[in-house]
Amino acid sequence: WYAIGAYGAPLFTLAACGPVRALVPSPNKKTFLVTNTDGATYLVTPKGALPTSAVENAEDMFEISLRTESHCGAIVGCALLPSTSTLEPGTEGADAPQLVSVGADCTLRVLNTLTLSLTALYPLPPSSAPTSLTAHAASQLVALGSADGVLRVFVRTPQEAQPIKLVYRARLARQAVCALAFDSTGERLAAGCSNGHLFFISCHADAISIAGFAEMPSTPTCLAWFVSESERLMVACSDKQLLRLQPPHATAAAAAA
């Protein structure tokens, strides 16, 4: 835990939640959720104002509680979908931000960040062990890659009975989908597979489809979009190469087809 602008020694270290996978602040900014590699989710709440100088025994400054809606096994990835309401979180009629996570237990889980209750559980086939996850906040889309080469895209819905809905499923390769990234608009999704194949998926409200394909020199391990006038994709590969690509536009791909 560091003070802003002072990145030498940390103010304190909190080591009570196991090997950390991700940190997600709650909407009220007063607590945060911690997911770890053992599949557990913890609620961490400061008991008072946090110190501005180095202290010991930081565990005494927090209340830490284990949430029961945990994965059975390591958490592979998680993402936060913000509230779709213009109302303040917690007020009547406002929906809460949702924490989406996937684990080695082959389940996708959705956690309400205000009530800390499980709002959805989507089981995956045993052959579809999750390998990657990404989300786009504005479009409320969640993309999930799996070890059998299948890509699934979900969308958040306002329906309490079905808060997350599967809208697309396709097998991209025989190997794992190991890297995913939405562009800034949420209309394009890049999906890299461990066999070196890189797919560009067009994501629109009325349809989701493959818009293009490229062959990488090795496994794409990380994808990142550069926001510019002509948005480009940076691809890091397992052979240490870093590539910059100009992805196809969905309209051009459709015309070519």
Side-chain angles (χ1 to χ4, degrees), residues 1-4 6 9-12 49-55 61:
W1 200 294
Y2 294 87
I4 299 294
L11 293 178
F12 57 86
L50 296 178
T52 56
S53 58
V55 297
M61 301 187 300

Side-chain angles (χ1 to χ4, degrees), residues 38 46 51 74 93 105 116 123 143 148 166 196 202 209 228 233 247:
D38 297 326
D105 56 359
L116 300 177
D148 57 0
L166 178 67
S202 174
S209 60
S228 61
L233 179 71

Side-chain angles (χ1 to χ4, degrees), residues 65-241:
S65 59
L66 175 66
R67 308 311 305 170
T68 57
E69 301 86 356
S70 301
H71 288 275
C72 299
I75 291 178
V76 176
C78 63
L80 186 67
L81 292 179
S83 172
T84 58
S85 174
T86 57
L87 301 174
E88 283 292 322
T91 60
E92 185 177 354
D95 64 333
Q98 305 289 313
L99 176 68
V100 182
S101 62
V102 289
D105 56 359
C106 290
T107 63
L108 181 146
R109 299 171 185 243
V110 183
L111 187 74
N112 184 307
T113 59
L114 285 179
T115 64
L116 300 177
S117 60
L118 189 69
T119 57
L121 189 151
Y122 187 95
L124 300 169
S127 60
S128 286
T131 52
S132 53
L133 179 79
T134 191
H136 188 264
S139 62
Q140 299 282 299
L141 291 175
V142 177
L144 169 64
S146 57
D148 57 0
V150 173
L151 170 69
R152 293 174 174 84
V153 179
F154 300 83
V155 65
R156 182 184 176 191
T157 74
Q159 303 172 7
E160 291 186 7
Q162 191 182 27
I164 193 163
K165 177 182 178 182
L166 178 67
V167 292
Y168 180 77
R169 180 191 181 279
R171 184 181 296 276
L172 302 182
R174 294 180 182 273
Q175 289 77 24
V177 180
C178 53
L180 295 167
F182 281 106
D183 72 354
S184 62
T185 66
E187 296 180 353
R188 287 184 296 182
L189 170 68
C193 302
S194 59
N195 62 357
H197 293 174
L198 180 67
F199 293 87
F200 297 100
I201 315 297
S202 174
C203 300
H204 293 279
D206 54 343
I208 298 177
S209 60
I210 296 176
F213 164 83
E215 187 77 32
M216 298 294 100
S218 61
T219 300
T221 56
C222 186
L223 307 174
W225 291 87
F226 272 76
V227 180
S228 61
E229 187 173 331
S230 57
E231 196 163 21
R232 301 194 178 192
L233 179 71
M234 299 298 293
V235 183
C237 297
S238 59
D239 62 355
K240 301 181 181 179
Q241 293 193 60

